[in-house]
Amino acid sequence: MESYSLTNKEQTKADRLKQKEISECGTIPEHIAIIMDGNGRWAKGKGNVRVYGHKAGVDSVRDITEACAQLGVKYLTLYAFSTENWGRPSNEVNALIKLLVHTLRTEADKLHENNIKLSTIGQIERFPNRCQEELLDAIQLTKDNDRMQLCLALSYSGRWDITEAVKKMGEKIKNGELDPEEIDDKLIDEHLSTARIPDPDLIIRTSGEYRLSNFLLWQLAYSELFITNTFWPEFRRDELYQAILSFQLRERRYGKIDKGHTGSFTNKIINHITS
Ligand code: IPE
Ligand code: IPE
Ligand code: MG
């Protein structure tokens, strides 16, 4: 396994063993997506302002990113700021932007040293110039890295993504470059902001909310869900391991039937029902 340096901590022997066990237990999800929720409530519970929770949440991002890279996850998509989050009080929005800029500035080199490629989905152009520049610099610096892709969903919403894809296809139809009959799942995939990224295998949501909050609506069609009550600033690699172990126990049927069923068994039931 490759070395790390995102958390500035040496990996313990116990953690290395846990990762080995997980890898031997089953498939490591190729793509994990996370709705990082509960920063505000976590801070409030500690008698602090919401921004304190966002700041603490960065430590979780570091730990989870490092653990995913060590485990061999190929894509990690983090919901960091939704389209709807622009509706929060301006002091919170400004603090989040400041935190993003600061984090990019201090972490970009470490991502690069760890061979991690940074990318984004969402309306980046809605962010102030200094923030866009910081993002583009980090994306440019890490563009050839191939150990893992860390994709930040920023000013993102699933409905926005689908709307943009529809607009792009509509434009092509208008220009005579696309026949509506050619539109299928694959073509829609190719027009989404996640084109070239496989659908998430596992989606994790922290803070006990049972909703998607406009995250990857199209892409999550067959993703496995893992919801925990833990607030994001307290979500660390040990719980990530639980989520992966839970994922490994699932049978992904994609609407088909489980592999244990034989034709003769089904025939018996049909005979029973129709007799
Ligand atoms: C998630 O935590 C971070 C963002 C949405 C930016 P919240 O800020 O939503 O925290 P809660 O859910 O209000 O506790
Ligand atoms: C979802 O969390 C968005 C992000 C984690 C960035 P929210 O806190 O915005 O979602 P709701 O309001 O609970 O649905
Ligand atoms: Mg929230």
Side-chain angles (χ1 to χ4, degrees), residues 112-157:
H112 189 44
E113 279 163 25
N114 278 268
N115 194 12
I116 296 170
K117 172 179 171 157
L118 184 76
S119 66
T120 60
I121 49 172
Q123 289 176 289
I124 302 307
E125 61 283 2
R126 287 186 71 175
F127 287 94
N129 284 342
R130 71 179 191 291
C131 184
Q132 292 186 45
E133 280 158 20
E134 211 67 58
L135 272 169
L136 292 176
D137 284 351
I139 290 170
Q140 177 64 20
L141 175 72
T142 61
K143 70 177 185 346
D144 296 321
N145 295 342
D146 61 3
R147 183 183 182 197
M148 183 177 86
Q149 182 166 334
L150 171 65
C151 177
L152 299 180
L154 289 167
S155 189
Y156 177 87
S157 78

Side-chain angles (χ1 to χ4, degrees), residues 8 15 23 26 42 73 86 93 104 162 199 236 246 258 263 271:
N8 286 329
D15 186 50
S23 302
W42 178 83
V73 171
W86 286 113
V93 172
L104 286 165
I162 295 168
D199 289 343
R236 294 301 157 92
S246 157
D258 71 73
N271 288 342

Side-chain angles (χ1 to χ4, degrees), residues 7-74:
T7 53
N8 286 329
K9 271 192 253 153
E10 191 165 340
Q11 187 179 22
T12 61
K13 201 173 162 214
D15 186 50
R16 213 171 298 132
L17 268 175
K18 269 186 219 162
Q19 292 188 352
K20 189 168 175 280
E21 271 170 29
I22 294 166
S23 302
E24 286 166 1
C25 256
T27 318
I28 297 294
E30 185 185 18
H31 183 176
I32 298 180
I34 307 182
I35 302 176
M36 311 183 291
D37 198 18
N39 294 353
R41 278 165 285 167
W42 178 83
K44 205 172 160 211
K46 298 213 165 296
N48 260 307
V49 288
R50 293 176 57 82
V51 175
Y52 178 76
H54 298 315
K55 210 161 166 257
V58 177
D59 294 336
S60 299
V61 171
R62 233 182 257 115
D63 191 50
I64 298 304
T65 304
E66 181 177 283
C68 282
Q70 288 166 339
L71 278 166
V73 171
K74 293 313 278 183

Side-chain angles (χ1 to χ4, degrees), residues 131-270:
C131 184
Q132 292 186 45
E133 280 158 20
E134 211 67 58
L135 272 169
L136 292 176
D137 284 351
I139 290 170
Q140 177 64 20
L141 175 72
T142 61
K143 70 177 185 346
D144 296 321
N145 295 342
D146 61 3
R147 183 183 182 197
M148 183 177 86
Q149 182 166 334
L150 171 65
C151 177
L152 299 180
L154 289 167
S155 189
Y156 177 87
S157 78
R159 287 187 176 179
W160 163 82
D161 204 357
I162 295 168
T163 306
E164 287 302 300
V166 170
K167 274 194 216 160
K168 283 183 216 155
M169 289 186 293
E171 201 58 39
K172 286 187 184 169
I173 292 172
K174 198 171 84 183
N175 298 337
E177 296 161 25
L178 177 67
D179 176 351
E181 283 304 312
E182 291 173 61
I183 299 176
D184 58 8
D185 275 25
K186 197 169 159 282
L187 196 87
I188 294 171
D189 268 338
E190 285 164 10
H191 286 84
L192 290 167
S193 62
T194 48
R196 292 179 300 280
I197 298 180
D199 289 343
D201 299 293
L202 172 65
I203 157 97
I204 297 172
R205 181 163 190 155
T206 58
S207 88
E209 304 292 0
Y210 284 72
R211 54 177 173 261
L212 294 178
S213 300
N214 215 350
F215 198 25
L216 303 157
L217 299 179
W218 172 274
Q219 298 86 338
L220 293 175
Y222 269 106
S223 308
E224 297 295 329
L225 305 170
F226 183 88
I227 294 169
T228 169
N229 288 332
T230 307
F231 292 133
W232 177 250
E234 283 188 351
F235 187 89
R236 294 301 157 92
R237 61 180 68 201
D238 278 326
E239 213 170 345
L240 171 79
Y241 300 159
Q242 282 177 33
I244 296 177
L245 286 167
S246 157
F247 166 83
Q248 290 172 334
L249 292 173
R250 319 269 179 95
E251 188 185 26
R252 303 182 77 185
R253 290 190 290 276
Y254 299 97
K256 307 198 176 71
I257 61 169
D258 71 73
K259 287 177 195 117
H261 277 125
T262 61
S264 62
F265 177 76
T266 312
N267 285 343
K268 251 192 225 163
I269 293 182
I270 290 172

